[in-house]
Amino acid sequence: MGILLQVKNLQTQFATQDGVVHAVNGTSFEVAERETLGIVGESGCGKSVSMLSIMRLIPQPPGKIVGGEVLFDGRDLLKMSEDEIRRIRGNKIAMIFQDPMTSLNPVLTIGQQVSEGVVLHLGLSQSQARARSIELLDMVGIPDAGARLNDYPHQFSGGMRQRAMIAMGLSCNPKLLIADEPTTALDVTIQAQIIDLVKKLKAELGMAIIWITHDLGVVAGLADRVIVMYAGYIVESATVKDLYADPRMPYTLGLLRSIPRLDATRQSRLTPIEGLPPDLVNPPVGCPFNPRCPFVIDQCLEANPPLAPAGSIGHLAACWVDVTNGGDPSRAAPRPESLAFVPRSDATEK
């Protein structure tokens, strides 16, 4: 499979009264044709801002894309004119936004909103657009689709609104679908239905998907490959199997340990990640995770580690410490000199 999307050193900042927020700090990744890429991390880590930057939907001001390239089908989206990017957005690349309760226009019918894209990008007549809208709503599992075209968003449940958002995203058969936490506002039963629907549609339509979430449980059953973000940086990248079986970054370890397990005893407690995310106006010196990391060594306080090979082929992690040489991170001693973990070969000793 060829490379569909290639992001190189993407940097996005926001000007605020308190200073410049460094929201995305040089992220680089690729998405292959028909691939599902999961992007995970805490709120505020840069997941959504990265995708909005790719779509050129960052409000300017206060936001600004200050560097990088976003190559889609070999063309840099960041260098396109507004007219050119509009022809891509919603047509070749579509996005499902986070909250279905507020993403739909409350004064337009569902039919008007689903058909807008096909009229604009495919040049269909109103009768053709209506037929296409019925087909799309039926595809995403909305019963009696023809009769629901004239309904307004408030007449749909949360799950049905999200299905309508997916129908809008799929209306022009995009090559890439970006889903920004599309199941966050839904209950777990509806979440499972939406995820199954997306997997089914991906198999039928052959599109690539970027799925943004903070839920590693969702990623496990959906994605082919996972990127972990923290403080605007990519801190780990691996296949789903490698990430869950052999995590190499302490933040990833913390995320995995905080997931409830069905096989845990009733006395077992979730292990939280201590501390708070960093202030992106005044980020910490060195590795941005060092104030919260139980593995910290002197070098972590001085230099931010680059993404480097770790474990299996294609597995990358940004960490000066080999967390596998010592096992459970809960056993890590708090003082750098007492840590039993071995620095990676690319780390330099002071």
Side-chain angles (χ1 to χ4, degrees):
M1 291 186 292
I3 299 300
L4 181 64
L5 179 74
Q6 191 173 28
V7 177
K8 300 179 181 180
N9 196 32
L10 181 65
Q11 301 168 59
T12 303
Q13 300 175 356
F14 292 86
T16 70
Q17 291 181 337
D18 297 326
V20 176
V21 175
H22 301 270
V24 180
N25 299 305
T27 59
S28 299
F29 61 91
E30 296 177 344
V31 182
E33 295 172 348
R34 299 174 177 266
E35 180 183 34
T36 299
L37 175 69
I39 301 181
V40 300
E42 295 172 304
S43 296
C45 72
K47 307 184 302 293
S48 297
V49 173
S50 295
M51 297 305 109
L52 291 172
S53 299
I54 288 171
M55 297 286 284
R56 296 265 301 275
L57 292 174
I58 294 292
Q60 302 186 48
K64 186 177 182 181
I65 302 169
V66 298
E69 292 180 290
V70 178
L71 303 177
F72 179 75
D73 274 351
R75 299 184 64 199
D76 190 351
L77 300 181
L78 302 185
K79 293 181 179 177
M80 289 184 178
S81 67
E82 285 298 323
D83 286 341
E84 287 176 315
I85 195 66
R86 284 195 193 101
R87 287 195 285 270
I88 298 289
R89 201 163 47 209
N91 185 13
K92 302 295 184 182
I93 306 176
M95 190 164 183
I96 305 170
F97 294 95
Q98 186 166 352
D99 187 359
M101 305 299 179
T102 58
S103 297
L104 292 167
N105 190 324
V107 300
L108 297 179
T109 66
I110 295 295
Q112 287 174 302
Q113 296 184 65
V114 173
S115 64
E116 182 180 14
V118 295
V119 171
L120 177 65
H121 294 296
L122 303 182
L124 301 188
S125 66
Q126 290 300 320
S127 60
Q128 291 171 325
R130 178 181 173 82
R132 175 63 173 160
S133 298
I134 294 172
E135 177 188 348
L136 288 162
L137 293 181
D138 186 60
M139 183 191 302
V140 298
I142 293 180
D144 199 10
R148 303 308 300 266
L149 282 182
N150 294 324
D151 287 352
Y152 289 87
H154 73 270
Q155 295 173 277
F156 275 40
S157 67
M160 290 178 67
R161 290 186 215 188
Q162 195 57 277
R163 289 171 185 267
M165 289 290 296
I166 293 172
M168 291 170 62
L170 299 178
S171 61
C172 297
N173 293 326
K175 292 183 176 182
L176 175 64
L177 179 68
I178 300 173
D180 185 4
E181 301 200 43
T183 60
T184 299
L186 308 175
D187 65 64
V188 290
T189 304
I190 304 301
Q191 281 186 29
Q193 292 176 5
I194 295 297
I195 291 167
D196 286 343
L197 171 64
V198 170
K199 290 166 71 174
K200 171 176 171 285
L201 293 173
K202 180 201 171 186
E204 291 177 358
L205 302 176
M207 60 189 172
I209 297 173
I210 298 176
W211 189 282
I212 305 169
T213 184
H214 60 268
D215 190 339
L216 280 164
V218 169
V219 167
L222 183 67
D224 303 308
R225 197 161 48 88
V226 186
I227 285 172
V228 181
M229 291 192 68
Y230 186 79
Y233 295 95
I234 294 175
V235 296
E236 189 156 5
S237 175
T239 64
V240 168
K241 181 179 179 180
D242 285 344
L243 190 86
Y244 284 76
D246 187 25
R248 293 301 184 100
M249 206 287 177
Y251 178 61
T252 309
L253 283 165
L255 291 178
L256 290 170
R257 286 171 57 80
S258 65
I259 298 174
R261 296 180 62 95
L262 291 175
D263 58 355
T265 65
R266 297 188 65 178
Q267 288 74 33
S268 300
R269 297 176 65 87
L270 293 178
T271 305
I273 301 174
E274 299 294 340
L276 297 172
D279 179 2
L280 296 183
V281 175
N282 298 297
V285 177
C287 173
F289 190 60
N290 73 57
R292 309 170 71 183
C293 182
F295 296 88
V296 67
I297 60 175
D298 288 344
Q299 188 160 2
C300 305
L301 308 177
E302 299 167 2
N304 191 7
L307 273 177
S312 304
I313 296 174
H315 192 154
L316 304 174
C319 188
W320 294 124
V321 174
D322 183 355
V323 299
T324 63
N325 187 25
D328 191 335
S330 66
R331 297 204 301 267
R335 299 296 303 165
E337 59 269 19
S338 62
L339 284 174
F341 304 102
V342 179
R344 284 211 322 249
S345 59
D346 56 350
T348 56
E349 290 294 327
K350 296 296 289 183

